[in-house]
Amino acid sequence: MKQNTIYDYQNESQIICCKFSLNQNQFISVNEKNIFLWSEQVYQPLMTLSNSAKVSCIQFSQQNNLILEGTQQGKILILNLEQQIQQEIKSSHKDVITNLTNYDINTYLSGSQDSVIMIHDLRQNGPIAQIKQHKQQINDIVTDLDTFRFICGSQDATISVWDFRNYSQYQALLEHQDSVNNLLMIKNTNTLFTSGDKFTIQSWDINKQTQKNRISLTQQPIQKMAFDYQQDILICTQQNNLDIFNTELLQLNTMQMDWQRIKDIKIEDDIVKILEDRGEILKLHKFQLELNGLQVEDNYTDIKDIEIPFSQQMQFDQCFYPSQSKENFDQSYEQEDQISDDIITTQKLSLKFSQLIQTKSNKDKYIQLEIIQEISNDHSKIKMILNDRIQKLKPIIKLYSQNDMKQCIQQINRCNDNSVLIDLFALLKLDPAQRKIQAEDIILLLENVIIILNSKYTYQVIKGLEFIKFCFYQIKDNILSYKTAKKQPQNKAQDKNQIRQKSYDTLILQFDKIMKLPKLNKLLQVKDTNLVNLTSQIKNEISQFLNKLE
């Protein structure tokens, strides 16, 4: 490993915490009075914000321009960098917050010295769940969106593994040798690396609920860990060393360093970046990965972009949600302009361009610059959202092209994103093969549609109603044929066939359940005529159909 550069950033007083950005070449640091936003090779802060809270930890949100702050009083603050507004979240921890970890673009987790884990949604001003399992403070939390898991390490020398969908524990607590200070979950595997106060790194198989019996000794306790997925190597920082291991925890290389407190580590394009706290000086170390001729076990499989079918016909629905909404989940849909208010569209951007053409004075030129900056920010948000949706949709389209709807739905559930289900709906409608989805598939689809119906966004509610209508038209003739055949005299062959048709009975119950949802009656009373007409049509058609079956 070859050291490239070291940059120094003056923080004016003792550094409390610092963190790399998730996607950009930026990082943030906090001292007793201020929060600084930095960029590499720029030695003056991009932004300096006064801060009266006693910050204990900090994290970039997956939503652009939002910073999560944990305080020594157990409070959580959301800092909007664009508006320079700080919002306090209700229902805080009872002690110092030690960890803030993102789960997805809207959801994050917090751990504290009070041993409680809290789950938060940026769309709600308060935690959506609290977990009390550990006996001492939470030191680290890692998440795995693909498997709906999050894993917590505690001072009580235990590791807990949780299912994010229902906050249930996957298994009993895993016993660690000492305090669990650091966790590192390897994506698309069941391998978990841990370190604690003792001079060891341990490897675990989460599925088998056992330690892999792979332990590596180090000269000092590990401060931070990172994993390079291109070369399958584990990078660990100690007080005076930087060590490289393979996945079997065999040491490949070591590098002696004169550094003190490592605050964060990040790997980008074979460059290792490390933030070191030197009192009032924040040091950024950058290294080029070189293994000095040592062979790294190559278990990495190059995953190429999946070829997307139907690309000429399928279009993303133009629905981009704002990064933060003050609306409540129990929205009544009484505002006439809601459909346009909760969607950012290119139409709004074009209106601002027309304003530019009409303004002429020098004063207006400054307004024009602000508008251009705002448009640029909107464009960046839209690009980020689209890229995220494309990446989520690639494996789903591949499974759909293989006629594996069950795995397709499971993959959508892992995404935890309504827009991905709406994209699948668009795919089903535009499929040139006009393949028939099976009753079992529709059962899975309708279970997800109920979630969309309860969305706070009018656009999603409309898509949910259209989805119900689509599923109903796809399967109603089969249900009717099944009920007709059921009334006829039966022989053994028909009996066996009817056993396979039990899914139709489940669908009948599902449609009946949907018709009794209070949300449908609520939608019939809104001021939006199109929404009322769509709801009324679906409710009448399905209700008449169900009555006909009785």
Side-chain angles (χ1 to χ4, degrees), residues 75 89 125 203 264 295 305 331 339 385 408 455 501 529:
K75 297 178 181 179
I89 300 299
N125 190 18
S203 178
D264 200 12
Q295 295 297 317
D305 285 343
Q331 192 167 347
I339 294 179
I385 293 170
C408 190
S455 170
Q501 304 297 325
T529 306

Side-chain angles (χ1 to χ4, degrees), residues 395-545:
I396 293 169
I397 292 177
K398 182 177 181 181
L399 290 168
Y400 177 76
S401 64
Q402 296 170 352
N403 274 333
D404 193 346
M405 184 63 72
K406 183 176 181 181
Q407 290 295 325
C408 190
I409 297 297
Q410 289 178 358
Q411 181 68 29
I412 289 174
N413 290 337
R414 293 191 191 102
C415 295
N416 193 29
D417 187 346
N418 287 348
S419 62
V420 180
L421 183 62
I422 293 173
D423 291 335
L424 175 66
F425 175 39
L427 178 65
L428 290 171
K429 291 197 300 182
L430 295 174
D431 182 357
Q434 293 296 313
R435 69 191 75 192
K436 286 282 187 180
I437 52 178
Q438 302 300 313
E440 295 81 5
D441 302 331
I442 293 180
I443 290 172
L444 295 173
L445 291 169
L446 287 177
E447 289 174 354
N448 288 270
V449 169
I450 294 176
I451 299 175
I452 297 181
L453 283 182
N454 289 320
S455 170
K456 66 179 179 179
Y457 297 112
T458 306
Y459 176 85
Q460 290 196 357
V461 174
I462 292 174
K463 287 297 176 182
L465 291 171
E466 292 177 351
F467 207 163
I468 293 172
K469 184 178 178 181
F470 173 81
C471 291
F472 174 65
Y473 285 160
Q474 287 286 317
I475 204 66
K476 67 175 184 176
D477 291 339
N478 290 351
I479 294 177
L480 190 59
S481 299
Y482 160 65
K483 294 295 283 186
T484 303
K486 193 174 182 180
K487 296 177 182 179
Q488 303 299 323
Q490 300 174 355
N491 53 40
K492 291 184 179 180
Q494 288 173 326
D495 287 340
K496 290 181 181 179
N497 184 58
Q498 286 194 7
I499 292 174
R500 295 194 298 267
Q501 304 297 325
K502 284 186 178 180
S503 54
Y504 290 136
D505 290 325
T506 303
L507 274 172
I508 293 171
L509 293 175
Q510 257 189 330
F511 281 122
D512 184 59
K513 178 182 177 182
I514 291 173
M515 290 302 99
K516 293 177 181 177
L517 288 174
K519 186 62 172 284
L520 290 186
N521 292 329
K522 192 186 234 184
L523 293 176
L524 291 173
Q525 300 173 6
V526 301
K527 297 180 180 179
D528 188 328
T529 306
N530 293 329
L531 187 56
V532 171
N533 291 339
L534 180 59
T535 305
S536 177
Q537 178 192 1
I538 293 171
K539 193 173 177 64
N540 290 338
E541 287 190 16
I542 298 180
S543 297
Q544 291 175 10
F545 179 78

Side-chain angles (χ1 to χ4, degrees), residues 233 244-246 250-254 291 294-297:
I233 55 175
I244 299 178
F245 301 87
N246 67 6
L250 297 175
Q251 189 166 357
L252 303 175
N253 201 352
T254 187
L291 300 181
L294 293 174
Q295 295 297 317
V296 181
E297 182 180 356

Side-chain angles (χ1 to χ4, degrees), residues 19-22 27-28 37 59-62 66-67 102:
K19 199 74 176 177
F20 280 114
S21 169
L22 302 174
F27 49 94
I28 202 164
L37 179 66
Q59 178 67 268
F60 280 84
S61 169
Q62 287 189 17
L66 292 184
I67 303 293
N102 290 287

Side-chain angles (χ1 to χ4, degrees), residues 285-434:
H285 301 265
K286 296 175 70 174
F287 301 88
Q288 176 70 47
L289 281 176
E290 290 183 358
L291 300 181
N292 294 342
L294 293 174
Q295 295 297 317
V296 181
E297 182 180 356
D298 186 13
N299 294 325
Y300 181 75
T301 302
D302 187 21
I303 303 175
K304 297 181 179 179
D305 285 343
I306 300 168
E307 213 172 288
I308 302 180
F310 324 122
S311 58
Q312 300 299 320
Q313 300 172 6
M314 186 176 173
Q315 296 179 351
F316 283 105
D317 294 301
Q318 292 186 1
C319 174
F320 309 107
Y321 305 111
S323 58
Q324 242 183 338
S325 174
K326 297 180 180 179
E327 299 170 306
N328 297 321
F329 279 107
D330 295 327
Q331 192 167 347
S332 62
Y333 296 91
E334 292 180 354
Q335 297 181 2
E336 294 180 358
D337 58 348
Q338 176 167 355
I339 294 179
S340 59
D341 283 346
D342 58 22
I343 300 173
I344 303 173
T345 64
T346 53
Q347 182 182 8
K348 290 187 177 181
L349 301 183
S350 64
L351 287 175
K352 292 176 181 177
F353 277 118
S354 67
Q355 293 171 4
L356 292 179
I357 297 172
Q358 294 171 5
T359 55
K360 294 180 179 179
S361 67
N362 290 333
K363 182 178 179 180
D364 286 342
K365 288 182 180 179
Y366 291 101
I367 299 175
Q368 292 175 21
L369 292 175
E370 291 178 359
I371 293 173
I372 292 172
Q373 180 62 39
E374 188 177 346
I375 292 171
S376 176
N377 292 336
D378 285 343
H379 174 75
S380 298
K381 290 179 183 178
I382 291 170
K383 184 178 179 181
M384 180 194 72
I385 293 170
L386 278 179
N387 286 336
D388 179 63
R389 284 172 69 173
I390 289 170
Q391 293 304 316
K392 289 177 180 177
L393 202 58
K394 281 182 178 180
I396 293 169
I397 292 177
K398 182 177 181 181
L399 290 168
Y400 177 76
S401 64
Q402 296 170 352
N403 274 333
D404 193 346
M405 184 63 72
K406 183 176 181 181
Q407 290 295 325
C408 190
I409 297 297
Q410 289 178 358
Q411 181 68 29
I412 289 174
N413 290 337
R414 293 191 191 102
C415 295
N416 193 29
D417 187 346
N418 287 348
S419 62
V420 180
L421 183 62
I422 293 173
D423 291 335
L424 175 66
F425 175 39
L427 178 65
L428 290 171
K429 291 197 300 182
L430 295 174
D431 182 357
Q434 293 296 313

Side-chain angles (χ1 to χ4, degrees), residues 128-146:
I128 57 177
Q130 298 187 34
I131 295 174
K132 175 71 173 172
Q133 173 68 69
H134 293 277
K135 297 178 181 178
Q136 296 182 37
Q137 78 174 40
I138 307 300
N139 287 334
D140 201 4
I141 303 173
V142 293
T143 61
D144 186 357
L145 187 61
D146 290 334

